[in-house]
Amino acid sequence: HLSKELPDDLSGTLSAKVNAVQRARTAANHSATHLLHQALRKILGTHVEQKGSMVQSDYLRFDFSHFSKVSAEELQQVEKFVNSRIAERLPLVDN
């Protein structure tokens, strides 16, 4: 964990608090990576594999393998797919 400031007495009891708004945004972006992966595999093909990602409260990055540049039309289809899945407001399933 990272802290912007430390107390003067480090031998005392410390507590950490989660910023609920930032955490909710991060969780939404995490869910979006799953939806993006699903969309890419549906639109580009099942050969698409996630190669990495970075999820933060204000953005996400999704790295994937594909044999060619994604066309503007394919990108539009991916965006439409993800937005339609978000609009469904599906319940979270915790395994």
Side-chain angles (χ1 to χ4, degrees):
H1 298 285
L2 302 174
S3 176
K4 292 182 181 177
E5 58 185 70
L6 293 173
D8 293 332
D9 180 12
L10 292 177
S11 64
T13 301
L14 304 175
S15 63
K17 294 182 182 178
V18 174
N19 179 319
V21 172
Q22 187 172 352
R23 178 69 185 111
R25 290 177 182 156
T26 302
N29 281 342
H30 174 84
S31 295
T33 64
H34 292 285
L35 294 174
L36 182 55
H37 193 204
Q38 181 185 23
L40 290 168
R41 288 178 59 89
K42 180 177 173 76
I43 286 130
L44 301 179
T46 57
H47 66 279
V48 171
E49 293 183 13
Q50 181 177 350
K51 296 298 184 180
S53 68
M54 177 180 285
V55 178
Q56 295 189 356
S57 63
D58 56 345
Y59 73 95
L60 68 88
R61 188 195 75 232
F62 189 87
D63 305 323
F64 64 97
S65 62
H66 184 49
F67 52 79
S68 65
K69 181 179 177 180
V70 178
S71 72
E73 182 181 329
E74 290 168 329
L75 186 58
Q76 202 170 45
Q77 290 174 349
V78 168
E79 183 178 359
K80 183 177 179 180
F81 180 92
V82 171
N83 286 335
S84 69
R85 295 294 286 176
I86 291 169
E88 290 178 40
R89 301 186 62 81
L90 299 169
L92 177 65
V93 177
D94 191 11
N95 291 332

